[in-house]
Amino acid sequence: MRNFEYEAPVTLESAIQQIAAGNGSVRALAGGTDLIDHIRTGRLKPDLVVDLKKIPELNVLELSADGLRLGASVSCARIYGDEEICRDYSALTDSCNIIGGIQVQNRASVGGNLCNSGPAADSIPALIALNAICVISGPNGTRKVAVADFCTAPSKNVLESGEILTELVMPARPANSGSHYLRFIPRNEMDIAVVGVGASVTLDESGEKFLSARIGVGAVAPTPLFAEKAGELLAGLPVNEESINKAAEAAQAIATPIDDMRGTIEFRKHVTGVLTKRALQVSIERARQQK
Ligand SMILES: Cc1cc2nc3c(=O)[nH]c(=O)nc-3n(C[C@H](O)[C@H](O)[C@H](O)COP(=O)(O)OP(=O)(O)OC[C@H]3O[C@@H](n4cnc5c(N)ncnc54)[C@H](O)[C@@H]3O)c2cc1C
């Protein structure tokens, strides 16, 4: 493994300074579960690694009437260890529960999963479904970008040189709403998603009509996708199989998957529809239970 310098700043300002001064040869580190592997295999060759785990702003995990603030370095285990977050942001905690195994989940962050920007990353479709917004800090100040617009290509995103993801913010869970993330993998052990789908729905008080829905799909395009139309067409429709099938077809329609050893194009398209239906069904059940 190539030698590199290591810094672990305790303030956001010094982290930004160190990253910006590096002129591209610096990498941020959260849990290191992707980064260390990429350095070990030579895919990334940073001169300096800036550990972000000691910065208070990146370790915020705060649930309030305004919603959820999730610091970019918070581990998956800390997120699914919170009962209220599991109840209100189920799609997120579903994804945190299946990223690697327990050892990985104790180090790995949702911020790192997003910044690694893999097409099959498990947390991203869940974040899209939950309408999460990225708070990005850099030498020129702070800006916000929807998670749905964050990834631009495999391993690429909108972060500019010197910028870091500080936190993710999600709106408060509306009444009569629920969410779910699930993926298909070829075996029961750790593996990369062949398809992953996150859904969130808000129903009317009777639980029989969709007020709104959001669907995110992963592993079926160069970046995780926001299946905007699939969610939009559910608004106002009755909660039944016909409505769910329509949304599943719309999600399938935007999938442009690749053929690989895990699945053919045809199979991935088919599974996109199947998982969209299942993600919606579980979201509906949760919305009805969690008034
Ligand atoms: C055994 C194993 C199993 C795995 N299984 C899964 C799985 O099932 N599903 C899945 O989605 N992933 C899986 N992964 C990949 C990995 O664990 C996740 O992507 C994880 O969430 C990355 O988080 P991290 O905190 O470790 O990120 P790091 O490795 O620290 O960082 C990842 C990338 O993001 C950048 N980065 C990190 N934080 C920031 C920030 N705040 N601002 C800017 N850039 C930043 C880093 O420079 C790096 O390029 C697995 C990995 C291993 C080793």
Side-chain angles (χ1 to χ4, degrees), residues 27-36 38 44 52-53 58 72-73 76 98-101 104 107-116 120-123 159 163-166 183 190-192:
R27 293 302 302 198
L29 176 141
T33 60
D34 278 318
L35 183 67
I36 298 300
H38 291 163
L44 291 174
L52 304 176
K53 277 266 188 198
L58 275 72
S73 293
C76 291
I98 54 175
I99 290 179
V104 169
R107 283 292 309 170
S109 63
V110 166
N113 195 237
L114 178 58
C115 291
N116 191 56
D122 283 306
S123 73
L159 287 180
E163 285 189 323
I164 59 175
L165 176 70
T166 318
R183 69 178 180 192
M190 282 181 260
D191 210 332
I192 297 171

Side-chain angles (χ1 to χ4, degrees), residues 16-176:
I16 290 169
Q17 268 171 18
Q18 285 165 0
I19 290 174
N23 208 13
S25 64
V26 184
R27 293 302 302 198
L29 176 141
T33 60
D34 278 318
L35 183 67
I36 298 300
D37 189 50
H38 291 163
I39 298 175
R40 195 180 51 82
T41 55
R43 196 169 136 190
L44 291 174
K45 295 175 180 165
D47 294 327
L48 170 65
V49 167
V50 178
D51 188 340
L52 304 176
K53 277 266 188 198
K54 294 186 177 161
I55 300 170
E57 288 91 333
L58 275 72
N59 283 300
V60 169
L61 185 62
E62 192 182 286
L63 186 60
S64 72
D66 293 335
L68 179 66
R69 287 181 62 202
L70 167 59
S73 293
V74 174
S75 72
C76 291
R78 221 181 121 201
I79 301 167
Y80 69 62
D82 185 310
E83 260 180 47
E84 289 186 330
I85 297 176
C86 290
R87 185 196 61 209
D88 287 355
Y89 300 89
S90 320
L92 173 67
T93 51
D94 292 337
S95 69
C96 289
N97 254 306
I98 54 175
I99 290 179
I102 286 169
Q103 292 93 334
V104 169
Q105 289 155 14
N106 276 303
R107 283 292 309 170
S109 63
V110 166
N113 195 237
L114 178 58
C115 291
N116 191 56
S117 302
D122 283 306
S123 73
I124 307 179
L127 292 169
I128 292 172
L130 293 167
N131 202 4
I133 306 290
C134 306
V135 181
I136 296 168
S137 303
N140 300 322
T142 299
R143 65 189 177 108
K144 291 184 179 174
V145 175
V147 169
D149 300 324
F150 184 82
C151 299
T152 52
S155 310
K156 301 228 176 322
N157 55 52
V158 299
L159 287 180
E160 284 170 14
S161 180
E163 285 189 323
I164 59 175
L165 176 70
T166 318
E167 64 178 79
L168 293 151
V169 289
M170 280 156 257
R173 181 177 71 82
N176 309 307

Side-chain angles (χ1 to χ4, degrees), residues 212-217 226-235 237 243-244 246-254 276 280:
S212 64
R214 287 178 66 93
I215 295 163
V217 288
F226 174 27
E228 195 170 2
K229 278 193 187 146
E232 274 175 6
L233 65 78
L234 286 175
L237 292 187
S243 308
I244 291 171
K246 275 188 191 160
E249 276 167 30
Q252 261 179 328
I254 61 162
T276 302
L280 284 169

